[in-house]
Amino acid sequence: MIVHLNGRYLADRDASVSPFDRGFLFGDGVYEVVRAFDGELIEAGRHWRRLERSLREVRIAGEKFAAEQMSELALRLLEENGLKRGHAIVYLEITRGSATPRTHHFPPAGTAPTVFAYATPFAPFDGQRINGVPIILAPDERWGRCDIKSVNLLPNAMAKQAAVDAGAWETVFVRGGVVTEGTSSNLFAVIGGVLRTHPATHAILGGVTRDVVLETARASGLTVDETAFTVAELETAEEAFLTSTTNDVMPVVRVDATVIGSGEPGEIARRLGTLTAHS
Ligand code: PDD
């Protein structure tokens, strides 16, 4: 695989990052995951805008990472890896760079951020989408700035493993009785005929797919309300679905032991999934 590291395109086995990199020592970095189909990046503008915002919020010098450069980098990775046909994913991470000795405070001004990116083929989760998936709930023990797409993902990794252990597709977090989002996805529910999802506050990552689904839902005449819902409301929902770059619109048919709606993918999930499909 040809990867990008700090301006160079090279084989992954030849790419190395300093052990003093702050991404490694502190999780001091941000990232994006972008889909591509037939060599075209999907919603690249929204992803790069969110990357710029994440960089700004954590005060990593972002001016070098303009949208056009990020797109150029991602497209070159698709090209270098023979991914100009079919589905692919580009992962891009920027950390605060490497400096010794290790200090909690930021390294000296002028320390270059580390930029790493790779592209891989991707197989959309079509089978899961047809049948819908089970999810489990867990306490949201993450920090208070989940709106920043930071590589500090230990609570997300722990919670996702709990889903795998339980034979579920995703773990969805609950904070103070309110459903926030999944470990790497947003959650929607249709409650009393209204499409609801947690508002884009500091408590969730404002998903690109979430935004596209909200716009598509409004344009198709659905009643939409960005108001958080409780676990009790979710359990009585007519339908529910996850959204993310990799999931697209993924129907949820069970939450822990509770069957959602008819136990089959709901009509609204199906419709929004079709309207926002990439191929
Ligand atoms: N995850 N919430 C969290 C915590 C996420 O990590 C993600 C994305 C989303 C959905 O965002 P989007 O629609 O922009 O993909 C919501 C990516 C895909 C990942 O970590 O792999």
Side-chain angles (χ1 to χ4, degrees):
M1 182 196 297
I2 301 295
V3 303
H4 174 104
L5 183 63
N6 298 327
R8 296 171 63 211
Y9 294 85
L10 67 177
D12 56 341
R13 63 183 169 277
D14 298 326
S16 60
V17 174
S18 163
F20 289 99
D21 193 274
R22 295 180 62 93
F24 178 54
L25 294 178
F26 293 103
D28 186 356
V30 299
Y31 76 108
E32 276 297 328
V33 179
V34 185
R35 279 273 289 280
F37 181 68
D38 278 356
E40 304 242 344
L41 301 173
I42 296 166
E43 299 294 349
R46 298 190 204 237
H47 282 283
W48 305 144
R49 267 197 300 284
R50 185 171 64 188
L51 178 66
E52 277 172 31
R53 179 179 184 278
S54 293
L55 288 165
R56 196 168 55 244
E57 291 295 319
V58 301
R59 298 167 58 196
I60 292 177
E63 60 281 358
K64 281 197 273 165
F65 309 112
E68 313 84 70
Q69 283 165 288
M70 296 298 100
S71 282
E72 204 178 296
L73 186 164
L75 292 170
R76 166 104 183 249
L77 281 175
L78 295 177
E79 175 89 54
E80 296 272 356
N81 290 285
L83 297 171
K84 301 280 271 187
R85 285 276 160 266
H87 292 276
I89 272 180
V90 179
Y91 174 89
L92 174 86
E93 173 172 337
I94 301 176
T95 78
R96 204 180 304 278
S98 146
T100 41
R102 167 185 178 272
T103 61
H104 278 69
H105 61 74
F106 295 172
T111 301
T114 301
V115 182
F116 168 65
Y118 72 93
T120 47
F122 176 68
F125 306 125
D126 293 337
Q128 286 83 355
R129 235 186 328 276
I130 289 167
N131 296 314
V133 294
I135 62 171
I136 61 171
L137 301 176
D140 196 341
E141 290 168 339
R142 300 173 301 161
W143 72 326
R145 289 302 306 273
C146 298
D147 57 309
I148 298 169
K149 200 161 169 60
S150 136
V151 295
N152 263 280
L153 290 171
L154 182 56
N156 306 60
M158 300 286 293
K160 185 67 168 212
Q161 186 57 40
V164 171
D165 293 344
W169 184 251
E170 173 67 300
T171 296
V172 165
F173 292 120
V174 179
R175 203 188 285 259
V178 157
V179 178
T180 52
E181 63 175 338
T183 68
S184 55
S185 57
N186 295 112
L187 183 70
F188 286 73
V190 180
I191 300 166
V194 178
L195 183 62
R196 305 247 311 260
T197 194
H198 196 289
T201 62
H202 287 181
I204 67 158
L205 182 77
V208 167
T209 322
R210 174 187 177 280
D211 285 347
V212 170
V213 162
L214 282 172
E215 286 168 19
T216 308
R218 288 193 173 107
S220 65
L222 289 169
T223 310
V224 177
D225 187 3
E226 290 179 64
T227 308
F229 47 83
T230 63
V231 173
E233 286 177 298
L234 173 61
E235 287 174 346
T236 58
E238 292 101 88
E239 54 177 288
F241 57 87
L242 301 165
T243 64
S244 78
T245 295
T246 49
N247 278 294
D248 297 316
V249 173
M250 178 63 77
V252 169
V253 293
R254 190 157 48 80
V255 177
D256 288 327
T258 305
V259 172
I260 299 300
S262 64
E264 293 191 352
E267 196 42 49
I268 290 175
R270 226 192 287 268
R271 191 157 16 120
L272 290 171
T274 306
L275 288 171
T276 57
H278 304 303
S279 55

